[in-house]
Amino acid sequence: MKRPGRRRVLAATGAALAAGLAGCSGGDGGDGGDGTDGGDGGSSDIEIPAEAESRVEDYLTADPAADNYDGITAMGSGSVTVDVGARGNGGNFAYAPVAIVVESGTTVEWDWVAGNHNVLAAEGSDFDLDSGSARRDDSYEFTFDSAGVGTYYCTPHQSVGMKGAVVVVG
Ligand SMILES: [Cu+2]
């Protein structure tokens, strides 16, 4: 599983942004070879509002917790993919990456990799995600056109922690 740029995710707490930019490069040397964002004027670091980050954490760690949650993965913009039925939660019962941050205007495609699942907005989600009832070999797309937090789950497997989140910024 690739986790593009996840070390670039910065907490949006005022001074932490500047300090983080200067000091967070330790351990992230692998990103240096990718020159594709060179013309982007420095917008490759996505700033996650602290309130959004805590909403994601509260949702994914609430019992039954998503056992594959270990932070929010920066996915950038355009078109990105989340696997459905990845390993986790005691079987193929996970979304991967389980929590992502994207820029407004991004289309997220959920791609089924194993099992019988769906994507359904949780109570309080800012986005009305709904792939329909659980199926196999499905895919589902949603374009996020405004900032907010989408929280979602799989109907048959929410009881083992099959939950996910999308933070949309800017
Ligand atoms: Cu499921």
Side-chain angles (χ1 to χ4, degrees):
M1 167 184 22
K2 65 179 178 179
R3 293 172 173 269
R6 61 187 295 270
R7 294 297 177 199
R8 291 183 175 184
V9 174
L10 301 174
T13 51
L17 180 58
L21 285 172
C24 74
S25 60
D28 195 27
D31 267 352
D34 181 2
T36 57
D37 62 357
D40 211 7
S43 65
S44 60
D45 286 303
I46 292 181
E47 196 176 325
I48 302 178
E51 186 254 351
E53 189 171 24
S54 57
R55 279 178 68 187
V56 168
E57 184 163 327
D58 287 351
Y59 177 67
L60 293 177
T61 61
D63 189 40
D67 74 2
N68 59 331
Y69 175 65
D70 68 348
I72 301 174
T73 303
M75 301 289 272
S77 59
S79 181
V80 307
T81 300
V82 172
D83 287 346
V84 177
R87 294 297 298 175
N89 302 310
N92 288 102
F93 305 136
Y95 302 100
V98 60
I100 65 175
V101 56
V102 299
E103 293 174 33
S104 183
T106 297
T107 296
V108 176
E109 179 175 317
W110 284 264
D111 269 338
W112 273 235
V113 297
N116 183 58
H117 309 286
N118 64 348
V119 170
L120 191 63
E123 192 177 333
S125 172
D126 295 335
F127 301 98
D128 191 20
L129 304 168
D130 185 357
S131 72
S133 55
R135 287 187 292 271
R136 297 179 181 275
D137 300 324
D138 205 358
S139 68
Y140 172 61
E141 274 189 8
F142 189 96
T143 299
F144 293 88
D145 281 330
S146 59
V149 176
T151 49
Y152 63 91
Y153 63 91
C154 169
T155 303
H157 303 120
Q158 59 176 316
S159 61
V160 296
M162 188 166 179
K163 307 189 287 187
V166 179
V167 177
V168 185
V169 297

